[in-house]
Amino acid sequence: SAAWYIGNITLPSSLLAGQYEIGIEVSDAENTNSTAQYFEYLGIVSTELNVSSFSLSMHSGAVENRVVQLLNGGNTLIDTEISAEDLLSEKGIISKDSIEIFENVWLPLSQPVFMDLNVAPQTKADLQFRVRTPQQTPSGHYEGKITVTSMESR
């Protein structure tokens, strides 16, 4: 005779993505059988920032720092790439070279910067930005984008 057994397993969101083994044992009055099944728990990259924008009130030649928190809401370690656009106004441009990210040293965002952060699931990391307003920059309202892209750690 044959029988079907159905079961469910629930994996906590704090469990890291990876290869796992589940042991299955079935018994009746006369016999016991066991087997192992292997499965892959896929990585989920889910990040949030504690801000969607920020404003700075600066004068020509000034420097201002800003900290943005990155929350890893997924189930895998994450790294991040940061990139920026020039800040534009009707009166001028502040080059993306004037925007920097801190990773042991200040790095200009003239090119995207890869950050090997290894942020664990359900934890936060601080991203430290610095904006330098060049001398002779006309006053005005400047806008641009800083893009934060997260991916599974390598």
Side-chain angles (χ1 to χ4, degrees), residues 11-117:
L11 303 175
S13 61
S14 60
L15 185 66
L16 289 178
Q19 298 286 330
Y20 289 90
E21 175 184 356
I22 184 169
I24 302 168
E25 185 174 291
V26 179
S27 298
D28 63 14
E30 298 174 14
N31 299 308
T32 298
N33 289 313
S34 61
T35 187
Q37 293 292 314
Y38 300 89
F39 67 94
E40 182 178 10
Y41 185 42
L42 298 176
I44 299 169
V45 175
S46 173
T47 56
E48 276 181 53
L49 300 175
N50 67 331
V51 297
S52 59
S53 66
F54 59 80
S55 298
L56 305 172
S57 296
M58 301 173 65
H59 55 82
S60 178
V63 176
E64 190 164 331
N65 295 350
R66 189 62 50 108
V67 174
V68 174
Q69 282 191 330
L70 171 75
L71 168 65
N72 180 359
N75 68 347
T76 187
L77 296 171
I78 60 167
D79 296 327
T80 302
E81 184 179 87
I82 312 292
S83 60
E85 297 178 348
D86 292 337
L87 305 178
L88 307 173
S89 82
E90 293 178 5
K91 297 180 182 179
I93 296 174
I94 299 175
S95 168
K96 62 185 175 183
D97 297 348
S98 298
I99 306 168
E100 301 170 315
I101 185 78
F102 188 80
E103 186 178 36
N104 300 318
V105 296
W106 287 104
L107 302 168
L109 292 176
S110 50
Q111 299 292 323
V113 172
F114 176 78
M115 300 182 72
D116 187 19
L117 298 175

Side-chain angles (χ1 to χ4, degrees), residues 101-140:
I101 185 78
F102 188 80
E103 186 178 36
N104 300 318
V105 296
W106 287 104
L107 302 168
L109 292 176
S110 50
Q111 299 292 323
V113 172
F114 176 78
M115 300 182 72
D116 187 19
L117 298 175
N118 292 315
V119 182
Q122 311 306 314
T123 62
K124 297 176 184 175
D126 287 341
L127 303 176
Q128 297 179 61
F129 292 95
R130 178 166 71 183
V131 179
R132 296 175 174 275
T133 307
Q135 294 290 338
Q136 311 305 318
T137 299
S139 63

